[in-house]
Amino acid sequence: MAQKIIRSQYHLYDEKIDTMAEVPDSELKPLPKNKDLKVIGKSIPRIDGNEKVTGAAIYTFDKTFVNIAHGRTLRSPYPFATITKIDTSKAEKLKGVIKIIHTYNTNEISWYWGNSKLFDKTTRYEGEEVAFVVAETEAIAEKAVRLIKVEYKELDFVINPVDAAKEDAPKIHEGGNIPKRRGHSTYSRGDFEEGIKNADVVVEEKYITEVAVHNPTEPFCSVVKWDDEQLTIWDSTQGIFSVRDSIASSLKIPQSKVRVITEYMGGGFGAKLEAGKYSVMAALVSKEIKRPVKVVLDRREMNLAVGNRPNSYQTIKVGAKRDGTLMALGLTNYGSMGAYPAGAGAHWPLRSLYKCENVTTSEYSVFTNTGRARAFRAPGHVQGTFALESILDDVAEKLKINPLDFRIKNFAPIDQDSERPYTSKKLLEAYEVGAKAIGWENRKTSGSDKGFIKRGFGLASQIWWGGGYPPAYATVKMNRDGSVQVLCGTQDLGTGTYTIIAQVAAEVLEIPIEKIDVLIGDTQATPYAPSSGGSNTAPSITPAVYDGALQIKEKLMSGASALLEVSQEKLVYSKGEIFESDNKSNSLKASEIVRKMRERVLVATGSRNESTSGYRVNTFGVQFADVEVNTLTGKIKVNKIVAAHDIGRTLNRQTLENQFHGGVIMGLSYALHEERVVDEFTGKVVNANLLDYKIATMLDTPEIDVIIVSEADELVSAVGAKGIGEPAIIPTPGAIANAVYNAIGVRINSLPITPDKVLMALNKEV
Ligand code: MOS
């Protein structure tokens, strides 16, 4: 093992952080191809599937104790206000109310969003925390919340990022609405103006994408319990260690005194990468009242206060040569961070997806009096790809080039920033098989389909990171009966992490997957693994599990060598047994070897190596959409999506398809249905519930064809898996938007593409 400085490959908010990790000195032998494997790559149902479908799995939402108390939060009803008085006397008299905390009775607790506080006398968005009530039941706590009298002084507010960026806009924080750090970011290469000058065709367009809310199935929730100085938090989170550290820092207690547990989880999509204020509030009260406290956010709170995908107001200018060569790409973008710092950019696809020498981008992440943005399944890439792929289709049409040929013409063989090759980029292969699967040759000239129901085809490509990175560790234990446990500090958001860990261990040790127990999601019991974000979970942890299992195998082999008095080279490992190659009867079972060991339990901790240096690690793919637009009602029906991607090794065909289905449906929902609506006169969200905030359902779900064009990416790790959670959603909205244009011949430049917009666009053309 050695310590190495590793440049983080995670660019979520334009940040590159130097990190150091302990990694193995030697390279591991790459796993064979899937066709030569028995467990990896197969369709294996989730090993925790039975618990989940029978209701036996205890999610944070289900966790309880006999003496548990319940917390509810009073939230500001105004977009921007100062609190002048809080009167809790009526609420406190309610039977069953135990404790109420707020800005006047709670010492300042620092919160890690910049210099913000747990409670502030200024509230900057509808839904910001004002007070927290703990009571015997959730209903009593909610009733008490309604009995608290707060006097507010309302302030002038601003909800749109373009307005908020103006000089005379209400200032949400001292220093204005475009913070110095990350408020304005620019990028350029080559000479954009020169590229435009040398172009034969120039197209400029504006695009708007809406704010979308994560709305995972399981609400945001925490159960906290103190045992003397030791705090345990059951939390629905994507990052147990990151929650542990930020809560320890807010409460000013050692990280070793905080244990975070996430056994089962019902989704996060990026919104649960951060600790919740509710966990800190619950922990503060719980310590004082000496009882466990549970807090579960309702749908309204989830739609107001715990994150969203920022909107975008993009202006894109493209120049191209008559032969289709891209000459210049320019982007200006305004995105709303909400009331506290967050990333709201969208430039990465334009910068990196296609070959172009002259690129310039200028992006503003702007404070607005709305709930704060958070990372949301491929932050920036979903909105950026929609706009980029829309305008590229318009340019292709002007040049009379087939949109697919236009993309192939501008294929980028290397990373244009670093001029490094990619570890793998099978995008051309994906175009070919994807086009075939959708029947691309049936695509007609845009707007030429006859009849009132018009069919169209569209495509969009995808680039993302998702190669994983060190540090990530997994401890593999083998007991005297031959049973195996794998411990890893990751968490399963519902994606199948338990299952892929068991698969890798079962593959290496050649024992049935049922004999492998997986323990994850517990900061006190497991070695460190990173938060589940950036599609980095599978590619980060599976090489560590592989390493740990190989080390166990090596220990068994050396143990067998000693016991059988045969040199290791003459021994063969097969199905959990070791025998002499020339004398098969001279053999030992793994359990027999461990039984003779004084350790009683064989233990090895594996770690994830660095990816091969000198390369860029990315994922690529293309999605094709086949849609029908009813020109009388404006309704859009997506018939089929073909998703053809290069994502390294398939670890489990079933969980992989699940990810693609989820990503495509979420992308479709974003393209056609979802939009957080804020009333511009009151600054209030008018659809903070699942009735008025429209999410696609089974009835909207198209046929989804998932095609993987990659084998293992051996330059990434010995396992060669890359992430798929985010690649799956990135191209869907762009592909659907282009298919809608192809059907009706009129471009709709703002998402969601709702029937009213379709009808208005069609009428404009009449
Ligand atoms: Mo993802 S938005 O990094 O959970």
Side-chain angles (χ1 to χ4, degrees):
M1 296 281 267
Q3 294 282 348
K4 284 188 184 166
I5 293 275
I6 287 147
R7 181 160 291 278
S8 166
Q9 293 161 338
Y10 195 38
H11 299 253
L12 195 55
Y13 295 130
D14 280 357
E15 246 186 319
K16 282 188 215 162
I17 306 159
D18 277 336
T19 52
M20 196 166 73
E22 209 169 33
V23 295
D25 289 320
S26 56
E27 290 299 321
L28 300 177
K29 194 173 108 229
L31 259 175
K33 289 195 165 156
N34 275 4
K35 68 171 173 47
D36 299 319
L37 297 178
K38 295 194 174 64
V39 193
I40 290 174
K42 303 286 176 286
S43 260
I44 292 179
R46 283 168 172 69
I47 59 171
D48 50 342
N50 281 348
E51 285 98 308
K52 285 183 169 178
V53 298
T54 57
I58 303 294
Y59 289 71
T60 304
F61 183 83
D62 305 310
K63 186 82 196 166
T64 194
F65 291 96
V66 277
N67 61 338
I68 204 159
H70 299 263
R72 290 289 297 162
T73 307
L74 173 66
R75 294 174 182 277
S76 172
Y78 301 114
F80 201 12
T82 51
I83 296 168
T84 51
K85 195 177 166 196
I86 298 180
D87 176 2
T88 57
S89 53
K90 265 206 175 132
E92 273 159 22
K93 283 196 195 99
L94 188 68
K95 192 167 175 271
V97 170
I98 304 165
K99 176 82 195 172
I100 303 174
I101 57 171
H102 49 72
T103 179
Y104 292 103
N105 72 357
T106 299
N107 289 338
E108 280 194 2
I109 301 285
S110 70
W111 189 244
Y112 60 94
W113 301 347
N115 298 318
S116 93
K117 300 164 192 157
L118 194 57
F119 294 114
D120 198 334
K121 286 189 182 69
T122 302
T123 61
R124 298 177 175 85
Y125 66 93
E126 185 205 4
E128 185 153 13
E129 295 83 353
V130 172
F132 184 69
V133 178
V134 172
E136 293 295 339
T137 69
E138 200 177 19
I140 296 170
E142 178 59 31
K143 201 167 176 189
V145 158
R146 290 161 199 235
L147 290 173
I148 299 173
K149 291 244 166 344
V150 184
E151 285 172 21
Y152 297 93
K153 194 168 140 302
E154 286 184 67
L155 302 169
D156 283 342
F157 60 88
V158 61
I159 57 168
N160 175 295
V162 179
D163 297 337
K166 290 177 185 154
E167 217 23 65
D168 58 350
K171 284 191 177 29
I172 296 163
H173 294 277
E174 282 173 31
N177 296 338
I178 302 172
K180 276 210 180 69
R181 192 168 158 262
R182 302 200 305 215
H184 182 213
S185 62
T186 58
Y187 167 81
S188 75
R189 67 168 177 259
D191 186 336
F192 174 74
E193 293 304 334
E194 193 63 23
I196 290 288
K197 227 191 292 170
N198 294 329
D200 296 317
V201 164
V202 174
V203 178
E204 183 172 334
E205 281 293 344
K206 287 188 182 349
Y207 300 90
I208 299 174
T209 63
E210 75 279 20
V211 168
V213 184
H214 302 71
N215 274 311
T217 311
E218 184 189 23
F220 292 67
C221 50
S222 280
V223 172
V224 303
K225 184 172 182 285
W226 291 87
D227 297 285
D228 294 326
E229 296 301 308
Q230 176 73 44
L231 172 64
T232 305
I233 303 176
W234 289 263
D235 196 30
S236 182
T237 180
Q238 294 174 239
I240 51 169
F241 284 97
S242 112
V243 165
R244 181 193 72 166
D245 294 355
S246 49
I247 287 182
S249 123
S250 272
L251 297 177
K252 296 195 171 62
I253 57 175
Q255 292 166 353
S256 56
K257 294 283 183 219
V258 184
R259 177 182 193 178
V260 178
I261 297 174
T262 303
E263 195 177 359
Y264 297 103
M265 189 184 166
F269 308 119
K272 292 179 185 168
L273 281 165
E274 301 175 3
K277 270 193 184 180
Y278 47 87
S279 309
V280 176
M281 298 189 295
L284 278 175
V285 176
S286 170
K287 179 146 204 200
E288 195 178 323
I289 68 172
K290 297 190 164 50
R291 286 171 63 175
V293 172
K294 179 170 185 170
V295 54
V296 178
L297 269 58
D298 64 25
R299 282 290 154 187
R300 181 173 168 76
E301 295 177 288
M302 284 170 64
N303 276 264
L304 293 177
V306 283
N308 54 67
R309 184 188 296 285
N311 51 17
S312 70
Y313 289 74
Q314 305 178 55
T315 305
I316 304 187
K317 195 171 177 183
V318 181
K321 283 279 193 207
R322 220 171 300 284
D323 70 354
T325 308
L326 277 175
M327 296 300 291
L329 288 169
L331 166 75
T332 314
N333 178 32
Y334 291 83
S336 61
M337 296 192 286
Y340 296 94
H347 82 286
W348 273 101
L350 179 126
R351 166 174 171 175
S352 60
L353 185 50
Y354 296 107
K355 190 174 173 203
C356 182
E357 280 176 20
N358 308 302
V359 178
T360 182
T361 74
S362 172
E363 296 199 279
Y364 296 89
S365 294
V366 190
F367 285 128
T368 50
N369 290 112
T370 51
R372 177 175 164 268
R374 284 190 188 180
F376 190 166
R377 206 170 189 169
H381 280 235
V382 181
Q383 43 286 43
T385 302
F386 155 71
L388 174 69
E389 293 289 28
S390 295
I391 200 165
L392 290 186
D393 260 29
D394 292 352
V395 175
E397 184 168 285
K398 276 222 158 82
L399 295 167
K400 298 194 170 58
I401 298 177
N402 184 294
L404 177 57
D405 299 336
F406 187 51
R407 267 81 175 178
I408 292 168
K409 170 93 188 163
N410 291 293
F411 175 82
I414 59 162
D415 173 62
Q416 295 166 90
D417 285 327
S418 63
E419 297 185 344
R420 285 178 176 177
Y422 295 109
T423 56
S424 166
K425 185 174 182 178
K426 298 191 187 324
L427 187 55
L428 295 173
E429 292 87 329
Y431 286 141
E432 196 183 328
V433 295
K436 207 164 160 201
I438 199 78
W440 188 247
E441 72 281 0
N442 297 325
R443 181 183 181 273
K444 298 178 186 164
T445 311
S446 292
S448 70
D449 200 18
K450 299 278 178 278
F452 73 94
I453 293 179
K454 297 187 190 299
R455 191 166 177 200
F457 293 87
L459 75 88
S461 315
Q462 162 262 316
I463 184 171
W464 183 253
W465 300 282
Y469 42 72
Y473 306 101
T475 298
V476 182
K477 297 184 184 177
M478 184 178 269
N479 300 301
R480 284 187 166 175
D481 62 358
S483 63
V484 172
Q485 288 165 296
V486 186
L487 283 64
C488 180
T490 187
Q491 43 282 308
D492 190 334
L493 318 188
T495 52
T497 307
Y498 278 104
T499 310
I500 56 171
I501 290 173
Q503 281 181 272
V504 173
E507 185 74 53
V508 174
L509 296 170
E510 301 178 47
I511 57 177
I513 195 164
E514 302 78 43
K515 278 198 148 186
I516 314 259
D517 278 300
V518 180
L519 198 164
I520 61 174
D522 184 342
T523 55
Q524 221 79 325
T526 62
Y528 176 81
S531 294
S532 292
S535 302
N536 284 311
T537 304
S540 295
I541 64 166
T542 53
V545 178
Y546 180 56
D547 180 25
L550 284 176
Q551 287 182 46
I552 290 287
K553 198 169 166 180
E554 174 61 30
K555 285 178 196 249
L556 290 170
M557 289 292 273
S558 79
S561 168
L563 291 166
L564 297 173
E565 293 177 355
V566 177
S567 79
Q568 223 172 297
E569 297 79 62
K570 291 195 179 136
L571 292 175
V572 176
Y573 184 103
S574 173
K575 295 183 182 144
E577 258 188 74
I578 295 169
F579 53 81
E580 195 181 341
S581 44
D582 304 334
N583 176 13
K584 288 197 175 170
S585 60
N586 195 19
S587 73
L588 280 168
K589 286 190 177 132
S591 54
E592 289 172 315
I593 299 164
V594 183
R595 210 171 297 145
K596 296 206 193 282
M597 295 206 157
R598 279 206 282 189
E599 287 100 322
R600 196 171 193 106
V601 182
L602 266 194
V603 183
T605 294
S607 53
R608 202 245 191 240
N609 217 329
E610 268 185 284
S611 298
T612 311
S613 62
Y615 294 87
R616 289 303 288 245
V617 185
N618 288 88
T619 51
F620 297 94
V622 58
Q623 290 184 9
F624 292 86
D626 168 356
V627 311
E628 281 172 9
V629 184
N630 185 321
T631 54
L632 298 180
T633 63
K635 261 203 91 161
I636 295 162
K637 179 169 176 275
V638 181
N639 296 320
K640 184 175 181 176
I641 298 282
V642 170
H645 291 252
D646 172 358
I647 45 83
R649 183 194 299 275
T650 299
L651 292 167
N652 182 334
R653 179 69 199 182
Q654 186 172 323
T655 56
L656 173 120
E657 281 183 13
N658 293 163
Q659 282 298 294
F660 272 100
H661 293 171
V664 166
I665 295 165
M666 200 176 231
L668 178 153
S669 193
Y670 178 73
L672 302 179
H673 306 293
E674 293 185 38
E675 178 172 21
R676 183 195 69 184
V677 181
V678 186
D679 176 52
E680 60 179 297
F681 299 106
T682 59
K684 294 186 187 226
V685 179
V686 299
N687 60 344
N689 59 69
L690 288 184
L691 185 63
D692 301 308
Y693 182 93
K694 304 289 184 190
I695 295 177
T697 68
M698 280 309 286
L699 291 176
D700 306 296
T701 300
E703 182 187 344
I704 300 167
D705 194 356
V706 181
I707 305 168
I708 300 306
V709 296
S710 49
E711 285 268 357
D713 189 338
E714 287 183 4
L715 295 170
V716 166
S717 74
V719 172
K722 292 192 279 196
I724 50 176
E726 285 159 306
I729 190 178
I730 294 170
T732 318
I736 290 173
N738 282 339
V740 169
Y741 174 77
N742 179 238
I744 62 176
V746 193
R747 178 63 68 177
I748 293 154
N749 281 1
S750 75
L751 296 183
I753 306 174
T754 45
D756 56 315
K757 288 185 190 169
V758 172
L759 292 178
M760 277 197 278
L762 285 168
N763 284 332
K764 226 188 305 181
E765 289 299 295
V766 172

